[in-house]
C-alpha cells in the first residue's frame, strides 16, 4: 500500500530534550516536506526536500533541522524543543519535482502530536 | 508572495443541501490551487486541483471547485451534502517554482442530519 508513515504518533517531552520524528514514504517520491498545524493558522511549511541531500527552509524553520540521506526518509529533528513547538506535525511527499509532476498532489502522513512541557 | 484565505472558520449545512466552502488566493503568476480534506485524527487527503483549463474542476467524493480568475477565488462545492462530509477543509496554493505550499487556515464543515 502506498503510504507515508510517521513515528511516533504521540509524544510528550520536556523542554530541551532532543527528539526526532521519523517520516518514511514507499512511493519513490523525490519531494518531501514537513508541516506543523496549529489552530487558526492552518498548515505551515517547516522544511522541504527536493531530493536526496537537497533541503531548504519553509516558512517556519526556526528550532528545527532535517536531513535527507535516503530518498524514502526525511526525519525532523528538534535539538532543543520548547513549549512553542507543541503542535501537530505532518510529513508529506510528492512524486516528480520536474515537468508536469510539479503539479502533483501531496500525500500526507497520519500526523505526530507533540507536546513540549 | 503566495497566500490563500478561507474567510469562514465554520460552515453549517443540512444534509442534502448544497454546500460551498470559500477560498480566495493571492499569487504572483499563474495560480495552482488545491483542496484537501482532513478527517479527525487523520492526515490530509487530496480532493482536487486546478492547474489550467476548465474553470470547473471535479474531484473526489462528488466535490467540485470553481476557479474564478477575476475574483481570485477557488470555492469548493458539492450539490448535496452528506453527514460523512463533516471534516476540516483546507485550500492551498503552490508557489511559482513549485517547492513551497501555502495553506489556508481551514474551514470546519458541519453537515447535520
Amino acid at each position: 500500500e502506498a503510504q507515508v508513515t510517521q513515528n511516533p504518533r504521540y509524544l510528550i517531552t520536556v523542554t530541551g530534550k532532543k527528539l526526532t520524528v521519523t517520516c518514511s514514504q514507499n512511493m519513490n517520491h523525490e519531494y518531501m516536506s514537513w508541516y506543523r498545524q496549529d489552530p487558526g493558522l492552518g498548515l505551515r511549511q517547516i522544511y522541504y526536500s527536493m531530493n536526496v541531500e537537497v533541503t531548504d527552509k519553509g516558512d517556519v524553520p526556526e528550532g528545527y533541522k532535517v536531513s535527507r540521506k535516503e530518498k524514502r526518509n526525511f526525519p525532523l529533528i528538534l535539538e532543543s524543543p520548547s513549549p512553542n513547538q507543541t503542535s501537530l506535525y505532518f510529513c508529506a511527499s510528492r512524486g516528480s519535482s520536474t515537468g508536469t509532476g510539479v503539479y502533483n498532489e501531496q500525500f500526507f502522513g497520519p500526523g505526530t502530536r507533540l507536546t513540549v512541557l | 508572495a503566495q497566500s490563500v484565505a478561507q474567510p469562514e472558520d465554520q460552515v453549517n449545512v443540512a444534509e442534502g443541501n448544497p454546500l460551498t466552502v470559500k477560498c480566495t488566493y493571492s499569487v504572483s503568476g499563474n495560480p495552482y490551487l488545491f483542496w484537501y480534506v482532513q478527517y479527525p485524527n487523520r492526515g490530509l487527503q487530496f480532493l482536487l486541483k486546478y492547474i489550467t483549463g476548465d474553470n470547473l474542476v471535479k474531484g473526489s467524493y462528488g466535490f467540485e471547485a470553481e476557479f474564478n480568475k477575476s475574483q481570485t477565488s477557488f470555492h469548493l462545492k458539492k450539490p448535496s451534502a452528506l453527514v460523512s462530509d463533516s471534516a476540516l477543509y483546507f485550500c492551498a496554493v503552490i508557489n511559482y517554482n513549485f517547492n513551497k505550499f501555502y495553506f489556508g487556515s481551514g474551514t470546519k464543515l458541519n453537515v447535520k442530519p
Side-chain angles (χ1 to χ4, degrees):
Chain A
E1 179 190 355
Q3 60 182 349
V4 178
T5 57
Q6 294 178 228
N7 282 292
R9 293 290 312 278
Y10 302 91
L11 179 59
I12 300 175
T13 190
V14 295
T15 298
K17 186 176 181 182
K18 180 180 177 180
L19 66 91
T20 299
V21 183
T22 64
C23 172
S24 183
Q25 51 94 4
N26 62 1
M27 296 168 278
N28 201 36
H29 284 169
E30 287 90 352
Y31 180 96
M32 298 185 74
S33 185
W34 276 104
Y35 298 87
R36 58 178 290 173
Q37 182 180 5
D38 301 291
L41 296 177
L43 277 77
R44 293 177 293 167
Q45 196 165 23
I46 303 171
Y47 270 94
Y48 64 91
S49 169
M50 301 293 278
N51 215 322
V52 175
E53 301 291 3
V54 181
T55 63
D56 207 346
K57 297 176 181 178
D59 285 332
V60 289
E62 294 78 19
Y64 304 95
K65 283 176 55 177
V66 293
S67 68
R68 188 89 182 273
K69 293 184 171 56
E70 306 165 281
K71 198 171 187 179
R72 62 184 294 126
N73 296 323
F74 189 45
L76 179 70
I77 303 155
L78 284 72
E79 295 270 3
S80 183
S82 63
N84 65 12
Q85 293 178 297
T86 293
S87 187
L88 180 58
Y89 291 87
F90 288 101
C91 180
S93 71
R94 182 189 73 190
S96 184
S97 58
T98 58
T100 58
V102 296
Y103 308 124
N104 287 346
E105 65 272 21
Q106 295 184 87
F107 290 81
F108 283 81
T112 296
R113 187 166 292 281
L114 172 65
T115 301
V116 183
L117 302 174
Chain B
Q2 268 57 228
S3 67
V4 292
Q6 294 180 241
E8 301 156 318
D9 290 336
Q10 187 166 296
V11 169
N12 300 311
V13 64
E15 188 174 32
N17 283 1
L19 69 88
T20 298
V21 182
K22 295 180 180 177
C23 172
T24 59
Y25 65 88
S26 174
V27 302
S28 4
N30 293 322
Y32 303 111
L33 298 154
F34 300 79
W35 274 102
Y36 287 84
V37 59
Q38 184 181 30
Y39 297 102
N41 301 314
R42 302 284 295 275
L44 278 71
Q45 297 177 35
F46 169 77
L47 278 179
L48 51 80
K49 65 184 175 186
Y50 173 82
I51 304 301
T52 186
D54 196 348
N55 289 343
L56 187 63
V57 179
K58 294 191 183 298
S60 307
Y61 312 122
F63 284 92
E64 56 190 28
E66 186 170 10
F67 172 70
N68 187 316
K69 189 171 183 178
S70 62
Q71 297 185 5
T72 62
S73 67
F74 189 55
H75 300 333
L76 182 70
K77 300 182 180 186
K78 188 173 183 181
S80 179
L82 300 172
V83 173
S84 57
D85 292 330
S86 297
L88 189 56
Y89 290 81
F90 290 98
C91 183
V93 66
I94 192 172
N95 75 332
Y96 66 95
N97 58 2
F98 310 112
N99 54 19
K100 287 189 177 182
F101 287 81
Y102 299 90
F103 285 81
S105 54
T107 297
K108 186 177 182 185
L109 174 66
N110 296 312
V111 181
K112 299 215 172 7

